[in-house]
């Protein structure tokens, strides 16, 4: 571990989202007046940015092409304060990009996904970054690349504490045999079912799932129940926690990403489980009240002030 300058490592994708919004009735094979928005995304990139915005020393290892989009992401990371110096830069390749066209009702008509480069990080590259992994207090991962994830988990077991955001139920199914390597997992209901192999129909099923994960070796289990809050189980604590205020929701897309970042802050600052959860939930609420996937107002001071005004149940 790096005692003098502790940090969290995030490993995962950076994606450029290009969305076209139709201002008139959508017609195929025609040019339509509208607006185009370009934004940076990817679950792990979002987590890294949120961590940096609340003041956590953050290393982010990702995959970029040596194109304009890749350079834009690198410049953005420098402005916000998360480090991407150890990322894989692919020569003559495109940075992962998602491009969609929405009709006048905001519904997707078509999309093109260019994610080929995401499969080009190999175990030899991971080996070359061993020191970065071994010195990280925590390493946050998703399930995008199950084969590479398994390699990382086995190689650095016991040298850093792994936090998992499964991303999707389909992807979670492919890593269900790896639970023993994780310190913390943060699945939703569907992802929980995929990881533990049975349906979640009520509180008793949540308890059963939590016990299953602890028996596998997980230390902290946080299951997202959407509007019903979080079910949590650790070696010493169990329960549910939920905020009790009316929320003006603008965009729910980045809620899970900011929640995971909140867990990271709680861990790095030695907060109790309850205070960590309150902070993480506050971050997710702040996120969904803004149109962007990441609320640009987020800072540690902002989150603490917001959290202290919230009511809980």
């Amino acid at each position: 571990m790096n005692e003098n300058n502790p940090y969290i490592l995030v490993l995962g994708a950076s994606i450029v989202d290009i969305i076209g919004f139709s201002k008139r009735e959508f017609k195929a094979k025609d040019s339509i007046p509208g607006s185009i928005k370009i934004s940076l995304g990817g679950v792990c990139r979002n987590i890294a940015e949120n961590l940096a915005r609340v003041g956590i020393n953050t290393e982010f290892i990702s995959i970029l092409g040596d194109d304009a989009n890749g350079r834009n992401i690198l410049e953005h990371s420098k402005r916000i304060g998360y480090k991407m110096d150890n990322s894989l830069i692919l020569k003559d390749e495109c940075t992962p990009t998602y491009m969609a066209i929405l009709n006048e009702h905001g519904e997707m008509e078509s999309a093109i996904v260019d994610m080929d480069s995401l499969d080009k990080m190999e175990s030899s590259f991971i080996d070359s970054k061993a020191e970065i992994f071994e010195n990280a207090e925590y390493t946050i991962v998703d399930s995008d690349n199950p084969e590479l994830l398994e390699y990382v988990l086995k190689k650095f077991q016991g040298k850093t504490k792994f936090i998992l955001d499964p991303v999707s139920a389909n992807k979670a199914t492919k890593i269900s045999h790896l639970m023993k390597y994780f310190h913390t997992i943060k699945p939703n209901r569907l992802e929980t079912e995929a990881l533990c192999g049975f349906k979640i129909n009520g509180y008793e099923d949540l308890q059963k799932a939590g016990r299953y994960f602890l028996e596998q070796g997980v230390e902290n289990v946080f299951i997202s129940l959407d509007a019903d809050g979080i079910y949590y189980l650790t070696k010493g604590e169990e329960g549910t926690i939920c905020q009790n205020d009316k929320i003006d929701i603008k965009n729910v897309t980045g809620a899970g990403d900011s929640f995971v970042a909140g867990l990271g802050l709680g861990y790095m600052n030695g907060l109790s489980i309850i205070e960590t959860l309150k902070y993480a939930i506050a971050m997710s609420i702040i996120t969904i009240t803004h149109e962007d996937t990441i609320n640009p107002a987020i800072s540690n001071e902002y989150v603490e002030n917001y959290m202290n005004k919230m009511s809980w149940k």
Side-chain angles (χ1 to χ4, degrees):
M1 302 300 177
N2 189 337
E3 296 180 0
N4 295 325
N5 195 19
Y7 62 87
I8 289 182
L9 170 63
V10 185
L11 172 68
S14 299
I15 298 171
V16 175
D17 294 322
I18 304 174
I19 311 295
F21 301 85
S22 302
K23 291 184 177 179
R24 296 181 184 173
E25 181 183 359
F26 178 84
K27 292 182 180 179
K29 300 180 180 180
D30 193 11
S31 296
I32 302 163
S35 60
I36 297 173
K37 183 174 183 179
I38 301 175
S39 60
L40 306 183
V43 167
C44 285
R45 197 215 63 83
N46 292 345
I47 292 171
E49 180 176 341
N50 275 302
L51 282 166
R53 285 183 178 274
V54 294
I56 298 301
N57 190 12
T58 306
E59 287 273 355
F60 179 36
I61 295 180
S62 192
I63 307 170
L64 303 173
D66 62 347
D67 56 1
N69 286 334
R71 290 190 291 274
N72 184 30
I73 290 173
L74 289 173
E75 285 300 316
H76 180 269
S77 70
K78 292 174 183 177
R79 290 198 304 272
I80 300 299
Y82 56 101
K83 304 179 188 69
M84 293 190 70
D85 301 352
N86 289 289
S87 292
L88 175 61
I89 312 299
L90 298 170
K91 184 175 176 58
D92 299 324
E93 296 276 359
C94 292
T95 296
T97 304
Y98 172 83
M99 181 174 65
I101 297 175
L102 309 184
N103 63 25
E104 68 275 19
H105 305 297
E107 301 162 336
M108 187 183 73
E109 290 289 344
S110 186
I112 295 176
V113 181
D114 182 355
M115 302 289 176
D116 290 348
S117 60
L118 292 181
D119 297 324
K120 296 184 179 179
M121 184 178 285
E122 299 177 349
S123 58
S124 58
F125 177 81
I126 296 297
D127 292 343
S128 73
K129 304 299 178 182
E131 186 176 354
I132 306 299
F133 284 89
E134 292 170 356
N135 286 325
E137 298 290 326
Y138 296 89
T139 298
I140 298 173
V141 296
D142 62 21
S143 56
D144 270 341
N145 189 331
E147 184 177 340
L148 188 68
L149 175 60
E150 183 166 358
Y151 181 83
V152 169
L153 293 172
K154 290 180 177 179
K155 183 175 179 65
F156 301 111
Q157 181 183 16
K159 297 176 180 178
T160 182
K161 300 182 185 75
F162 288 101
I163 300 172
L164 171 68
D165 185 338
V167 179
S168 76
N170 181 51
K171 293 176 181 177
T173 304
K174 299 175 183 178
I175 62 163
S176 60
H177 62 295
L178 300 174
M179 290 301 98
K180 68 178 182 179
Y181 296 102
F182 294 105
H183 172 278
T184 297
I185 61 172
K186 194 247 30 159
N188 60 24
R189 277 191 181 95
L190 291 176
E191 292 161 355
T192 299
E193 292 175 351
L195 290 171
C196 67
F198 55 83
K199 290 288 185 181
I200 305 296
N201 295 315
Y203 190 75
E204 290 185 0
D205 293 327
L206 288 170
Q207 292 180 303
K208 181 181 176 182
R211 288 193 298 269
Y212 168 80
F213 291 130
L214 258 60
E215 289 167 0
Q216 295 294 306
V218 179
E219 291 191 26
N220 295 338
V221 179
F222 303 119
I223 300 176
S224 173
L225 308 175
D226 298 323
D228 294 324
I230 300 290
Y231 166 79
Y232 61 93
L233 179 66
T234 71
K235 292 180 179 179
E237 299 178 71
E238 180 184 24
T240 59
I241 183 171
C242 184
Q243 67 84 30
N244 199 31
D245 301 315
K246 185 177 180 180
I247 305 299
D248 182 17
I249 298 174
K250 299 289 180 63
N251 181 359
V252 300
T253 306
D257 308 341
S258 56
F259 181 89
V260 173
L263 295 180
L265 179 134
Y267 286 170
M268 294 294 278
N269 290 342
L271 301 184
S272 69
I273 290 296
I274 293 299
E275 288 304 305
T276 296
L277 284 170
K278 286 184 176 180
Y279 191 98
I281 292 171
M283 278 193 73
S284 65
I285 297 300
I286 292 168
T287 297
I288 66 176
T289 57
H290 196 275
E291 292 179 356
D292 293 342
T293 306
I294 296 176
N295 190 326
I298 276 188
S299 67
N300 184 41
E301 182 180 8
Y302 189 96
V303 177
E304 287 184 343
N305 290 337
Y306 193 95
M307 178 180 68
N308 291 332
K309 296 175 183 177
M310 295 172 68
S311 58
W312 303 90
K313 62 179 180 179

